[in-house]
Amino acid sequence: MKPPTYHEVRVPCLKKEVEKTNKIVEEHKVQWKTYGCSIMMDKWTAKNEKMVINVLVISPRGRLFLESYDASDSSTDSNKMYNLFEKTILKVGKENVVQVVTDNASENKKAGDILKGVFPNIFWTPCAAHCIKLMFGDIFKLAPYSTVFAKAVKIHSYISQRPLLLNMMRRYTNQRNLVKSAKTRFATAIMTLHSFYLQKKNLRTLFMSIEWSEGIYAKEALGKEVARHIVGPYFWNDTVQALKVGNPLVIVLRLVDGERKPPMGYIYEAMDMAK
């Protein structure tokens, strides 16, 4: 198969792709006029610390990526964020927009208040997933949740940095790891504690074994501290308490952050059950 030339790629092939994309956009615009749409702004930080805001438009037709903005100098300014809201609304058509969805940052909240004053028929809606992540953040600032997760991190770091001990642990846990990653760091904290709790019996067996007591790590000060946490009851009692508080919110987070079904009809009942 003969590949296209440099000229073909950058001129005729590119034009075809642009025409194809514009056709898809026009099909979405028909749905916007008929059923209305939601504008979603997703803020994230690139590796070079540049703040980028992706703008998507959501309708019954599906999600459409509209454009991206470099928000490095405006991400914490409510007036500049409102100008971005207004610019996007006018581009989509103010008669077509039902709501603007962003995270729950203070500058977005202030911009949302301005938005409701200028466009009374358009709602500003905070992202439910981000709200729950903020709840996790506040919970894990409090004792015993902050201390128990710090202990779990110390235990995992101690084991994972010593290959012989890591291999020994995996023999006792049937090759299971202790850290279970999730989409967010706060959900990762709960999932990791849950993983620790599932391996409670195996970890205790490891740190009470002759293999451990006769090994070089049992004589280290940090090794003795880790063994004390695993064998004693206090770490596990705090882990259970953290899981009792965190698991109901994880269920809600999975509901609102998943893509199996639209969560709007379930979010209020789910939050009431979590409370």
Side-chain angles (χ1 to χ4, degrees):
M1 178 177 165
K2 184 181 177 182
T5 64
Y6 174 72
H7 173 76
E8 288 173 337
V9 169
R10 65 189 293 268
V11 181
C13 292
L14 178 60
K15 285 183 178 179
K16 286 181 181 178
E17 285 302 313
V18 170
E19 290 173 2
K20 182 181 176 181
T21 303
N22 285 334
K23 184 179 178 182
I24 293 172
V25 173
E26 291 303 318
E27 291 172 355
H28 278 264
K29 284 183 177 180
V30 173
Q31 294 282 316
W32 300 349
K33 292 178 181 178
T34 305
Y35 300 106
C37 62
S38 298
I39 295 172
M40 187 173 74
M41 297 190 178
D42 182 28
K43 187 189 300 181
W44 60 283
T45 305
K47 289 183 178 180
N48 59 1
E49 300 302 319
K50 181 182 285 188
M51 189 76 72
V52 179
I53 297 178
N54 288 338
V55 180
L56 297 94
V57 184
I58 303 171
S59 69
R61 174 78 182 182
R63 282 167 291 190
L64 176 73
F65 172 78
L66 195 63
E67 55 197 336
S68 288
Y69 294 101
D70 180 359
S72 302
D73 62 341
S74 61
S75 61
T76 57
D77 189 315
S78 58
N79 290 321
K80 289 182 178 179
M81 288 304 301
Y82 167 72
N83 291 335
L84 177 56
F85 289 1
E86 184 180 43
K87 179 182 176 181
T88 308
I89 288 169
L90 295 177
K91 182 177 290 188
V92 174
K94 63 181 181 180
E95 68 281 357
N96 301 327
V97 180
V98 177
Q99 63 179 346
V100 177
V101 182
T102 68
D103 63 39
N104 205 25
S106 58
E107 63 273 7
N108 289 335
K109 193 170 184 179
K110 291 176 184 176
D113 292 335
I114 301 172
L115 176 72
K116 287 185 283 187
V118 179
F119 300 100
N121 295 329
I122 298 177
F123 298 91
W124 171 76
T125 307
C127 172
H130 186 253
C131 291
I132 295 170
K133 292 167 193 174
L134 293 177
M135 291 179 198
F136 273 123
D138 289 340
I139 288 170
F140 274 88
K141 291 176 184 175
L142 304 173
Y145 315 114
S146 58
T147 54
V148 72
F149 185 61
K151 289 177 183 177
V153 170
K154 181 181 286 188
I155 293 168
H156 178 264
S157 298
Y158 180 79
I159 295 173
S160 62
Q161 291 170 7
R162 292 158 177 80
L164 292 176
L165 182 57
L166 181 61
N167 289 331
M168 190 192 307
M169 182 208 74
R170 285 175 174 164
R171 289 204 309 272
Y172 281 83
T173 61
N174 297 319
Q175 303 302 317
R176 301 279 184 176
N177 291 321
L178 294 178
V179 170
K180 190 171 183 180
S181 60
K183 287 184 178 180
T184 66
R185 63 183 183 275
F186 301 124
T188 297
I190 287 291
M191 299 303 291
T192 297
L193 288 175
H194 186 250
S195 180
F196 263 80
Y197 185 73
L198 292 177
Q199 298 297 335
K200 175 182 176 181
K201 183 178 178 181
N202 294 330
L203 289 172
R204 279 187 158 179
T205 303
L206 165 62
F207 283 95
M208 294 173 69
S209 67
I210 296 175
E211 189 177 7
W212 164 261
S213 61
E214 293 181 350
I216 57 173
Y217 303 120
K219 299 176 179 62
E220 296 178 349
L222 191 54
K224 292 178 181 178
E225 182 184 352
V226 167
R228 188 168 62 251
H229 289 324
I230 294 295
V231 175
Y234 301 109
F235 172 74
W236 299 111
N237 291 341
D238 291 343
T239 298
V240 170
Q241 184 65 23
L243 292 176
K244 283 182 178 179
V245 172
N247 277 340
L249 282 177
V250 170
I251 293 171
V252 181
L253 183 60
R254 282 175 172 164
L255 175 69
V256 299
D257 215 19
E259 298 184 3
R260 290 186 178 182
K261 59 183 179 182
M264 184 56 72
Y266 306 91
I267 178 66
Y268 294 102
E269 176 64 18
M271 278 305 301
D272 284 342
M273 291 174 67
K275 290 174 186 177

